[in-house]
Amino acid sequence: MMKYARTLCLLVSCLVFDAIEVAAQNSIVLRQQGTNEDEVELKLGDEITIDIFADLGTVGASGISVFVTLPKDVFHIIDQRTENEAATQPFVPGLLFAEAAESRNLVVSPDDALNISDDLSLLEYVVVIGAGSDRSRTGSGVVASFQL
């Protein structure tokens, strides 16, 4: 019985370490467009474009969901919508998921934003690749951008 317990423990350890290795390959960072800086100083009235940059590594992804919170009283979110959209759309699609279906691009209403403080805005962006032969993305690139 003890022999089986050691084998099982070793197998679980290997699976956990493999999962950690895969997770370490993926990252999402916010950075200033054009400079790639992740820390920026702004003055009152300055505008900034922020890229959401993802490094998927070699793991294929068929979509991505991004949530960004911002203080309401500090930043003004610039609307990117065209005339046909009703709600504020803060995001412009990036190249990493080019031609994917955009299913969410909005500032979440305070009634729908559970567990978010009243002094914060919650931005949500979701893209999914549909059916076809090219159904996943690997590598790195800009998922979307937004302006403040």
Side-chain angles (χ1 to χ4, degrees):
M1 185 64 142
M2 189 62 121
K3 181 178 179 183
Y4 293 117
R6 286 187 196 144
T7 304
L8 180 60
C9 183
L10 179 60
L11 177 62
V12 169
S13 296
C14 290
L15 292 174
V16 168
F17 287 126
D18 286 345
I20 291 171
E21 182 179 334
V22 169
Q25 292 177 355
N26 301 324
S27 64
I28 295 179
V29 294
L30 301 179
R31 58 190 198 186
Q32 182 179 16
Q33 191 175 71
T35 67
N36 295 334
E37 295 290 327
D38 58 2
E39 291 187 28
V40 179
E41 282 189 45
L42 299 172
K43 292 179 261 174
L44 187 62
D46 286 350
E47 288 186 10
I48 185 171
T49 301
I50 299 173
D51 287 338
I52 299 171
F53 183 86
D55 184 354
L56 304 174
T58 57
V59 177
S62 60
I64 195 163
S65 298
V66 178
F67 296 88
V68 178
T69 57
L70 299 167
K72 282 183 183 177
D73 295 338
V74 177
F75 295 106
H76 171 73
I77 301 160
I78 298 175
D79 192 359
Q80 304 295 330
R81 70 181 155 182
T82 61
E83 298 123 25
N84 299 334
E85 285 96 16
T88 299
Q89 294 192 332
F91 296 98
V92 174
L95 294 178
L96 185 59
F97 284 90
E99 301 177 20
E102 187 178 86
S103 63
R104 303 277 288 181
N105 180 354
L106 55 95
V107 178
V108 179
S109 80
D111 296 334
D112 294 334
L114 301 176
N115 298 323
I116 298 295
S117 173
D118 289 339
D119 61 340
L120 297 175
S121 292
L122 177 64
L123 285 62
E124 180 180 6
Y125 186 72
V126 179
V127 290
V128 179
I129 299 171
S133 60
D134 186 22
R135 295 191 301 191
S136 68
R137 300 288 188 270
T138 58
S140 60
V142 175
V143 174
S145 301
F146 63 97
Q147 288 183 305
L148 303 172

